[in-house]
């Protein structure tokens, strides 16, 4: 993929960039000319994505970052700025899924899911918003889920966390619009082959032909999503192509919400 110019000269931080949706976003953004700080809790995963970007002629740096830890977020963003300069955009893609109804998930499970999916996005936003306010521009893209828009059985921690992330997005949008900052969210359907997909399938006994047929049929377009499907929407929201959009959520789900 050749380098084009939608994000040329822009410094973008991608959390959870070492795999799945985050990896797809980091690669596409780099192909569009961005300098990408690939952050992940797993150092080797971040390094693998960054190396692949560099091999394709892009610019990327791997940063180990725990989105649930304020000191780690501060240190990671400081390292990102030291390499690539001020942060122009952030994509919060780090996520966690633990299955179970409200009485099945433990308090520890609840805290883990909320910490990664909500606290993490909150801490990263807090870490970049002051500089964006000072510069009068910035974009935040939150990776939520269709699970933040509808209920699914035995997801008593995950669904509330993704709904909360949508609320956080709206609050950032309305509070910082006057400073030239935009915040939007993406709600993907089932993205095939990601770590989260494997976790959900293991919980729901999903490695069968019947399950594959059922979960595919939930998406009227006849296939599950790919990280690239989400990445293309994230690129739109992180670029000036969406300059009159803020505080909204874009559903990228192969028609799942419509068919549901």
């Amino acid at each position: 993929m050749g380098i084009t110019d939608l994000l040329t000269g822009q410094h973008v931080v991608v959390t959870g960039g070492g795999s799945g949706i985050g990896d797809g976003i980091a690669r596409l953004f780099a192909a569009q000319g961005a300098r990408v700080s690939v952050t992940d809790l797993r150092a080797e995963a971040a390094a693998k994505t960054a190396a692949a970007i560099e091999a394709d002629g892009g610019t990327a740096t791997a940063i180990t970052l725990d989105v649930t830890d304020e000191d780690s977020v501060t240190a990671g963003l400081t390292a990102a700025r030291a390499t690539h300069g001020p942060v122009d955009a952030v994509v919060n893609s780090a996520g966690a899924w633990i299955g179970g109804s409200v009485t099945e998930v433990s308090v520890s499970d609840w805290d883990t899911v909320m910490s990664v999916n909500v606290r993490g996005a909150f801490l990263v936003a807090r870490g970049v918003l002051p500089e964006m306010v000072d510069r009068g521009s910035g974009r935040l893209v939150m990776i939520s889920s269709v699970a933040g828009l509808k209920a699914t059985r035995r997801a008593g921690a995950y669904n509330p966390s993704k709904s909360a992330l949508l609320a956080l997005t709206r609050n950032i949008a309305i509070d910082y619009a006057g400073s030239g900052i935009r915040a939007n969210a993406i709600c993907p359907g089932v993205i095939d082959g990601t770590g989260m997909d494997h976790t959900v399938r293991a919980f729901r006994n999903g490695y069968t032909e019947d399950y594959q047929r059922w979960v595919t049929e939930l998406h009227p377009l006849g296939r599950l999503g790919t990280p690239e499907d989400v990445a293309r929407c994230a690129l739109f929201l992180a670029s000036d192509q969406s300059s009159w959009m803020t505080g909204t959520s874009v559903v990228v789900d192969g028609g799942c919400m419509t068919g549901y």
Side-chain angles (χ1 to χ4, degrees):
M1 182 180 292
I3 301 295
T4 54
D5 62 359
L6 276 182
L7 295 175
T8 295
Q10 303 288 300
H11 175 199
V12 182
V13 174
V14 180
T15 73
S19 64
I21 291 174
D23 172 84
I25 289 171
R27 292 179 187 237
L28 180 59
F29 280 27
Q32 291 288 328
R35 305 187 304 275
V36 183
S37 291
V38 182
T39 80
D40 204 287
L41 180 61
R42 302 155 301 158
E44 67 282 1
K48 183 177 180 180
T49 298
I53 289 171
E54 294 277 348
D56 285 341
T59 302
T61 302
I63 297 172
T64 306
L65 187 154
D66 178 356
V67 296
T68 71
D69 182 87
E70 185 175 8
D71 290 339
S72 179
V73 170
T74 299
L77 291 175
T78 298
R81 293 186 192 97
T83 303
H84 297 303
V87 178
D88 296 292
V90 166
V91 181
N92 279 303
S93 184
W97 191 94
I98 299 176
S101 65
V102 168
T103 54
E104 289 174 322
V105 295
S106 66
V107 174
S108 176
D109 291 340
W110 172 274
D111 289 344
T112 296
V113 173
M114 286 292 177
S115 289
V116 176
N117 296 350
V118 187
R119 175 184 168 90
F122 165 77
L123 289 176
V124 173
R126 276 178 59 88
V128 299
L129 279 169
E131 68 182 287
M132 290 179 174
V133 169
D134 288 343
R135 293 165 57 215
S137 67
R139 286 93 61 208
L140 292 91
V141 180
M142 310 294 196
I143 306 301
S144 182
S145 169
V146 292
L149 300 171
K150 65 181 178 67
T152 53
R153 293 183 184 278
R154 302 181 72 199
Y158 182 74
N159 288 10
S161 76
K162 290 301 188 176
S163 293
L165 185 56
L166 295 178
L168 175 64
T169 302
R170 291 190 294 268
N171 273 91
I172 292 171
I174 198 168
D175 285 337
Y176 295 93
S179 297
I181 296 165
R182 298 188 295 108
N184 293 288
I186 301 174
C187 296
V190 178
I191 305 302
D192 196 21
T194 63
M196 187 172 295
D197 180 44
H198 288 302
T199 300
V200 174
R201 284 173 181 268
F203 177 78
R204 300 195 186 281
N205 298 316
Y207 291 97
T208 66
E209 289 185 7
D210 286 344
Y211 182 91
Q212 182 67 23
R213 186 181 307 109
W214 172 79
V215 76
T216 301
E217 287 174 353
L218 288 178
H219 302 75
L221 286 181
R223 67 172 176 86
L224 302 185
T226 68
E228 292 72 28
D229 290 323
V230 183
R232 285 188 285 270
C233 182
L235 174 63
F236 172 70
L237 294 176
S239 75
D240 288 338
Q241 298 294 303
S242 59
S243 61
W244 208 49
M245 290 177 65
T246 196
T248 193
S249 55
V250 181
V251 177
V252 181
D253 71 343
C256 179
M257 286 294 293
T258 302
Y260 196 89

